Coordinates of all heavy atoms in Angstrom, one line a residue:
H33 N 100.9 118.9 116.3 CA 100.2 119.6 115.2 C 100.4 118.8 113.9 O 101.4 118.9 113.2 CB 100.8 121.1 114.9 CG 100.1 121.9 114.0 ND1 99.9 123.2 114.1 CD2 99.7 121.6 112.7 CE1 99.2 123.7 113.1 NE2 99.2 122.9 112.2
H35 N 98.3 117.4 110.0 CA 97.0 117.3 109.2 C 97.0 116.0 108.6 O 98.0 115.6 107.8 CB 97.0 118.3 108.1 CG 97.1 119.8 108.7 ND1 96.0 120.5 108.9 CD2 98.2 120.5 109.0 CE1 96.4 121.7 109.4 NE2 97.8 121.7 109.5
R37 N 94.1 114.8 106.7 CA 93.2 114.8 105.7 C 92.1 113.7 106.0 O 91.9 113.4 107.1 CB 93.8 114.5 104.3 CG 95.0 115.4 104.0 CD 94.8 116.8 104.2 NE 95.9 117.7 103.9 CZ 96.2 118.9 104.3 NH1 95.3 119.5 105.2 NH2 97.1 119.5 103.9
M59 N 94.7 118.3 113.3 CA 94.1 119.5 112.8 C 93.2 119.2 111.5 O 93.7 119.4 110.4 CB 95.1 120.6 112.3 CG 96.2 120.8 113.5 SD 95.6 122.0 114.6 CE 96.9 121.8 115.9
N61 N 91.4 120.4 109.0 CA 90.8 121.7 108.3 C 90.2 121.2 107.1 O 90.7 121.6 106.0 CB 92.0 122.7 108.2 CG 93.2 122.0 107.5 OD1 93.3 120.8 107.6 ND2 94.0 123.0 106.9
K117 N 90.8 125.5 117.4 CA 91.8 126.1 116.5 C 91.2 127.4 115.8 O 90.2 127.4 115.2 CB 92.0 125.0 115.4 CG 93.1 125.4 114.3 CD 94.5 125.4 114.7 CE 95.5 126.0 113.7 NZ 96.0 125.0 112.8
Y119 N 91.7 129.8 113.0 CA 92.3 130.1 111.6 C 91.7 131.5 111.4 O 90.5 131.7 111.1 CB 91.8 129.1 110.6 CG 92.3 127.7 110.7 CD1 91.6 126.8 111.3 CD2 93.6 127.5 110.3 CE1 92.0 125.4 111.3 CE2 94.1 126.1 110.2 CZ 93.3 125.2 110.8 OH 93.7 123.9 110.9
A123 N 93.5 132.9 106.0 CA 95.1 133.0 106.2 C 95.7 131.8 105.7 O 96.8 131.9 105.4 CB 95.2 133.1 107.7
T124 N 95.1 130.6 105.6 CA 95.8 129.4 105.1 C 94.8 128.4 104.4 O 93.6 128.8 104.1 CB 96.4 128.8 106.3 OG1 97.2 127.7 105.8 CG2 95.5 128.4 107.4
T125 N 95.3 127.3 104.1 CA 94.4 126.3 103.4 C 93.1 126.0 104.1 O 93.2 125.9 105.3 CB 95.3 124.9 103.5 OG1 96.5 125.2 102.9 CG2 94.5 123.9 102.7
N126 N 92.0 126.0 103.5 CA 90.7 125.8 103.9 C 90.4 126.6 105.1 O 89.9 126.1 106.1 CB 90.5 124.2 104.2 CG 90.6 123.5 102.9 OD1 90.6 123.9 101.8 ND2 90.7 122.1 103.2
H154 N 96.6 129.8 114.4 CA 97.3 129.9 113.2 C 97.5 131.4 113.2 O 96.9 132.2 112.8 CB 96.5 129.5 111.9 CG 97.4 129.8 110.8 ND1 97.8 128.7 110.0 CD2 97.7 130.8 110.2 CE1 98.6 129.1 108.9 NE2 98.6 130.4 109.0
E156 N 98.8 134.2 111.7 CA 99.1 135.0 110.7 C 97.9 135.9 110.2 O 96.7 135.4 110.3 CB 99.3 134.2 109.3 CG 100.7 133.5 109.3 CD 101.0 133.1 108.0 OE1 100.3 132.0 107.6 OE2 101.8 133.6 107.2
H192 N 103.3 126.5 114.8 CA 104.3 126.7 113.8 C 105.0 128.1 113.7 O 105.0 128.7 112.6 CB 103.9 126.4 112.4 CG 102.4 126.6 112.1 ND1 102.1 128.0 112.1 CD2 101.3 126.0 111.7 CE1 100.8 128.0 111.7 NE2 100.3 126.8 111.4
H216 N 110.5 121.6 109.2 CA 111.0 122.3 108.0 C 111.3 123.8 108.3 O 112.3 124.4 107.8 CB 109.9 122.3 106.9 CG 108.6 122.6 107.3 ND1 107.7 121.7 107.9 CD2 107.7 123.7 107.2 CE1 106.5 122.2 108.1 NE2 106.4 123.4 107.6
F235 N 106.7 125.3 100.0 CA 105.8 126.4 100.2 C 104.8 126.0 101.3 O 104.0 125.1 101.1 CB 105.0 126.8 98.9 CG 103.9 127.8 99.2 CD1 104.2 129.1 99.8 CD2 102.6 127.7 98.9 CE1 103.3 129.9 100.0 CE2 101.7 128.5 99.1 CZ 102.0 129.7 99.7
C236 N 104.9 126.7 102.5 CA 104.0 126.5 103.5 C 103.6 127.8 104.2 O 104.1 128.8 103.9 CB 104.6 125.5 104.6 SG 106.1 126.3 105.2
L237 N 102.6 127.7 105.0 CA 102.0 128.8 105.8 C 102.1 128.6 107.2 O 101.6 127.5 107.6 CB 100.6 129.2 105.3 CG 100.5 129.5 103.8 CD1 99.0 129.4 103.2 CD2 101.1 130.8 103.5
P238 N 102.8 129.3 108.1 CA 103.5 130.5 107.6 C 104.8 130.2 106.7 O 105.4 129.1 106.8 CB 104.0 131.3 108.8 CG 104.0 130.1 109.8 CD 102.9 129.1 109.5
D265 N 103.3 120.0 111.9 CA 102.4 120.7 110.8 C 102.6 119.9 109.4 O 102.6 120.6 108.3 CB 102.7 122.2 110.6 CG 101.6 122.9 109.8 OD1 100.6 122.4 109.7 OD2 101.9 124.0 109.2
S266 N 102.8 118.6 109.4 CA 102.9 117.9 108.3 C 101.7 118.0 107.5 O 100.5 117.7 108.1 CB 103.2 116.4 108.5 OG 103.4 115.7 107.4
A267 N 101.5 118.6 106.3 CA 100.3 119.0 105.7 C 100.4 118.5 104.2 O 100.7 119.3 103.3 CB 100.1 120.4 105.8
P268 N 99.9 117.2 103.9 CA 100.2 116.7 102.5 C 99.2 117.3 101.6 O 98.0 117.5 101.9 CB 100.0 115.3 102.7 CG 99.2 115.0 104.0 CD 99.5 116.3 104.9
H269 N 99.6 117.6 100.4 CA 98.8 118.0 99.3 C 99.2 117.2 98.0 O 100.4 117.0 97.9 CB 98.9 119.5 98.9 CG 98.3 120.4 100.0 ND1 97.0 120.6 100.0 CD2 98.9 121.1 101.0 CE1 96.7 121.4 101.2 NE2 98.0 121.7 101.7
K274 N 99.3 121.2 94.7 CA 100.5 122.0 94.8 C 100.8 122.8 93.7 O 101.1 124.1 93.7 CB 101.6 121.1 95.1 CG 101.9 120.8 96.5 CD 102.5 121.9 97.2 CE 102.7 121.7 98.8 NZ 103.1 123.1 99.4
R279 N 98.6 125.4 96.8 CA 98.3 125.2 98.1 C 99.6 125.1 98.9 O 100.6 124.5 98.6 CB 97.8 123.8 98.3 CG 96.3 123.7 97.8 CD 95.4 124.3 98.7 NE 94.1 124.8 98.1 CZ 93.1 124.1 98.0 NH1 93.0 122.8 98.2 NH2 92.0 124.6 97.3
G280 N 99.5 125.7 100.3 CA 100.6 125.8 101.2 C 100.5 124.5 102.0 O 99.4 124.0 102.3
G281 N 101.7 124.0 102.4 CA 101.8 122.9 103.3 C 102.9 122.0 102.9 O 103.1 121.7 101.8
C282 N 103.8 121.6 103.9 CA 104.9 120.9 103.7 C 104.7 119.4 104.3 O 104.3 119.4 105.4 CB 106.2 121.4 104.5 SG 106.9 122.9 103.7
Ligands
NCD5 C1 98.3 123.6 106.3 C2 97.4 122.6 105.4 O1 97.7 122.4 104.3 O2 96.4 122.1 105.9 N1 99.1 124.3 105.3 C3 100.2 124.9 105.7 O3 100.7 125.5 104.8 N2 100.8 124.8 106.9 C4 97.4 124.6 107.1 C5 98.0 125.2 108.1 O4 98.5 124.6 109.1 O5 98.2 126.4 108.0

Side-chain angles (χ1 to χ4, degrees):
H33 183 139
H35 302 269
R37 312 312 186 199
M59 307 280 170
N61 52 339
K117 181 76 188 271
Y119 292 101
T124 185
T125 310
N126 295 346
H154 184 106
E156 287 193 285
H192 37 58
H216 47 282
F235 173 56
C236 62
L237 300 161
D265 192 22
S266 182
H269 290 281
K274 270 288 183 190
R279 287 286 158 80
C282 286

